[in-house]
């Protein structure tokens, strides 16, 4: 078990991380759990907060009045308060609606772009009602299946314009862009963290547009997640992460944190710890999926084991012999540094 004190870190996951196991090739294999139950699980597993999609908070929100939406959001806030949990963020689930088949903010149909922006505003109101820290924008369908179907330059400016409208809708809200290079679309307009940060600087208030790095999304772009985090931290723009793991250039796997590559997991914690991530209100979010083979009563093990591994690797990060590391760097003996780090990670005697 992990020994490190992790007080500076706050952990969260989203209701979609306890799922029924459907995949594109087969139906659900587990029973759905209620939101109330998932919130209780978050508390029982020692998490501090919950991430939400707008329609996790208010199901079927397109069919409800604004007053009804606010009433239901207030009920969810009371459920969180009762467990002593916080909402981390709300994300508009823009990839589900018929209006967003061809993307939301970058749809070729102006009526659909309008739908996306209005949905963004509702999401902001919901987030305020549940006391969330920020809005997360996973720009799922903002991209194309064939190059010629969209003007990618215009799409970037449409994303900027949509962000500007949302920034104006509530002068206090903070927006985090969660990039992903593909899936469901072939090519995303904002595929990497560099693109996300570039987009933030195009808006009217870059100080309120940050980003969220997801391990699997960086891997799908062929990039190192810890370097992506470091890049965003250098811009003071990393407010949240979606820790998970990914076995190479496959479909988005959302494996448990560290499941595929422990050293890569170690290095993500290493860059976060060096920045004192968490001390300025940042969260350690998970975005992990249980294997489809998992039975009902084991449908949260991926959450507890991801958190356990984070704490174990945090201890590894904190117990690196810094003096030795500095000596090996000064001597440019990176082979020996590699050997030392691997001995340390494997828990075998060094020298
Ligand atoms: C897709 C994702 C999404 C986002 C979530 C919050 C369903 O690959 O990672 O999870 O993280 O929508 O923005
Ligand atoms: Mg994610």
């Amino acid at each position: 078990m992990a020994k490190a004190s992790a007080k500076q870190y706050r952990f969260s996951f989203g209701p979609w991380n306890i799922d029924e196991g459907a995949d594109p090739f087969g139906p659900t294999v587990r029973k759905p759990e209620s939101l109330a139950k998932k919130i209780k699980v978050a508390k029982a597993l020692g998490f501090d907060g919950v991430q939400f999609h707008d329609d996790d908070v208010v199901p079927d929100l397109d069919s409800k009045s604004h007053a009804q939406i606010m009433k239901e959001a207030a009920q969810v806030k009371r459920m969180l308060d009762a467990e002593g949990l916080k909402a981390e963020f709300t994300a508009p689930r823009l990839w589900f609606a018929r209006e967003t088949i061809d993307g939301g903010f970058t749809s070729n149909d102006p009526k659909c772009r309008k739908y996306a922006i209005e949905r963004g505003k509702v999401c902001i109101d919901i987030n305020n009602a549940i006391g969330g820290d920020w809005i997360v924008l996973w720009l799922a369908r903002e991209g194309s299946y064939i190059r010629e179907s969209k003007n990618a330059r215009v799409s970037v400016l449409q994303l900027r314009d949509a962000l500007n409208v949302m920034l104006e809708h509530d002068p206090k809200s903070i927006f985090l862009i969660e990039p992903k290079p593909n899936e469901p679309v072939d090519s995303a307009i904002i595929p990497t963290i560099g693109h996300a940060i570039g987009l933030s600087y195009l808006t009217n208030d870059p100080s309120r547009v940050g980003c969220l790095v997801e391990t699997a999304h960086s891997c799908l772009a062929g990039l190192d997640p810890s370097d992506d985090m470091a890049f965003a931290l250098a811009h003071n723009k990393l407010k949240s992460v979606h820790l998970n793991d990914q076995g190479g250039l496959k479909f988005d796997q959302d494996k448990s944190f560290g499941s595929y590559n422990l050293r890569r997991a170690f290095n993500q914690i290493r860059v976060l710890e060096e920045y004192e991530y968490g001390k300025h209100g940042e969260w350690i979010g998970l975005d992990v999926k249980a294997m489809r083979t998992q039975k009902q009563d084991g449908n949260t093990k991926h959450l507890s084991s991801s958190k356990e591994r984070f704490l174990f690797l945090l201890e590894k990060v904190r117990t690196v012999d810094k003096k030795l590391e500095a000596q090996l760097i000064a001597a440019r003996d990176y082979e020996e540094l590699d050997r030392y780090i691997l001995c340390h990670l494997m828990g075998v005697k060094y020298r």
Side-chain angles (χ1 to χ4, degrees):
M1 269 306 290
K3 278 174 270 156
S5 139
K7 280 207 185 75
Q8 92 190 49
Y9 293 105
R10 289 185 299 173
F11 296 87
S12 68
F13 67 83
W16 63 91
N17 293 137
I18 302 177
D19 76 353
E20 295 88 57
D23 70 17
F25 306 98
T28 59
V29 290
R30 293 183 289 267
K31 290 194 296 291
E33 309 274 16
S34 67
L35 180 62
K37 169 102 186 276
K38 291 177 182 182
I39 288 176
K40 284 195 188 310
V41 167
K43 182 68 182 177
L45 297 181
F47 282 74
D48 308 282
V50 183
Q51 315 163 15
F52 291 97
H53 291 129
D54 50 3
D55 57 0
D56 291 323
V57 182
V58 183
D60 303 319
L61 52 77
D62 283 338
S63 66
K64 291 173 181 165
S65 69
H66 197 264
Q68 179 65 20
I69 291 172
M70 290 299 104
K71 196 174 143 207
E72 291 184 31
Q75 281 163 4
V76 172
K77 171 85 167 76
R78 282 194 291 277
M79 277 156 71
L80 290 169
D81 288 349
E83 298 296 338
L85 292 169
K86 221 189 121 14
E88 186 204 336
F89 68 71
T90 315
R93 204 197 297 260
L94 274 172
W95 52 96
F96 252 68
R98 283 207 71 76
E99 291 86 342
T100 58
I101 287 173
D102 192 22
F105 307 125
T106 66
S107 171
N108 281 325
D109 180 342
K111 285 198 294 299
C112 295
R113 293 202 296 276
K114 191 163 183 299
Y115 168 86
I117 289 181
E118 290 310 313
R119 176 89 182 239
K121 289 182 191 167
V122 171
C123 180
I124 294 167
D125 298 346
I126 291 175
N127 192 55
N128 287 337
I130 63 173
D133 286 348
W134 23 71
I135 305 295
V136 167
L137 299 171
W138 170 44
L139 302 171
R141 294 192 191 276
E142 314 299 356
S144 61
Y145 298 95
I146 56 164
R147 281 279 181 295
E148 299 81 5
S149 67
K150 282 188 185 173
N151 177 329
R153 182 184 63 81
V154 169
S155 297
V156 172
L157 301 178
Q158 285 167 334
L159 289 171
R160 174 202 62 188
D161 294 346
L163 272 160
N164 282 341
V165 174
M166 290 188 282
L167 284 163
E168 208 180 298
H169 179 71
D170 174 22
K172 287 194 294 297
S173 283
I174 293 170
F175 299 84
L176 308 186
I177 300 168
E178 177 181 348
K180 181 177 176 182
N182 57 278
E183 202 195 34
V185 292
D186 179 47
S187 285
I189 301 296
I190 303 296
T192 71
I193 214 67
H195 291 79
I197 291 176
L199 175 60
S200 89
Y201 290 130
L202 282 178
T203 67
N204 290 339
D205 190 355
S207 73
R208 288 196 287 130
V209 184
C211 59
L212 179 158
V213 169
E214 172 162 327
T215 314
H217 296 181
S218 294
C219 295
L220 285 170
L223 299 170
D224 181 292
S226 69
D227 283 349
D228 271 1
M229 288 174 188
F231 185 83
L233 288 171
H235 290 264
N236 289 320
K237 285 203 176 282
L238 190 70
K239 294 284 173 200
S240 192
V241 288
H242 269 171
L243 298 185
N244 55 23
D245 212 358
Q246 172 74 23
L249 298 179
K250 303 178 182 179
F251 60 96
D252 184 7
Q253 294 180 295
D254 294 339
K255 289 168 92 75
S256 295
F257 181 56
S259 155
Y260 202 82
N261 189 329
L262 275 178
R263 189 181 192 168
R264 191 162 66 193
F266 165 81
N267 276 307
Q268 288 168 69
I269 300 175
R270 185 173 160 272
V271 296
L272 297 176
E273 178 76 353
E274 187 274 334
Y275 178 83
E276 300 192 311
Y277 184 91
K279 288 203 173 159
H280 338 80
E282 305 92 344
W283 286 80
I284 297 292
L286 302 180
D287 196 357
V288 290
K289 212 179 237 155
M291 294 176 222
R292 190 164 187 266
T293 42
Q294 204 63 7
K295 294 182 184 164
Q296 190 78 23
D297 63 357
N299 64 354
T300 61
K301 285 194 179 165
H302 58 305
L303 293 163
S304 50
S305 73
S306 292
K307 182 164 176 266
E308 180 184 64
R309 230 149 18 241
F310 180 96
L311 296 175
F312 183 78
L313 289 169
L314 176 61
E315 180 70 11
K316 286 283 173 191
V317 167
R318 287 178 177 172
T319 53
V320 164
D321 183 341
K322 287 282 174 203
K323 219 169 115 199
L324 175 62
E325 187 187 58
Q327 279 166 7
L328 295 174
I329 289 170
R332 219 178 65 206
D333 193 352
Y334 304 150
E335 285 292 353
E336 192 59 26
L337 180 59
D338 190 40
R339 184 172 161 262
Y340 165 63
I341 293 291
L342 285 169
C343 285
H344 182 63
L345 282 177
M346 292 187 296
V348 299
K349 202 168 153 45
Y350 173 68
R351 285 202 203 279

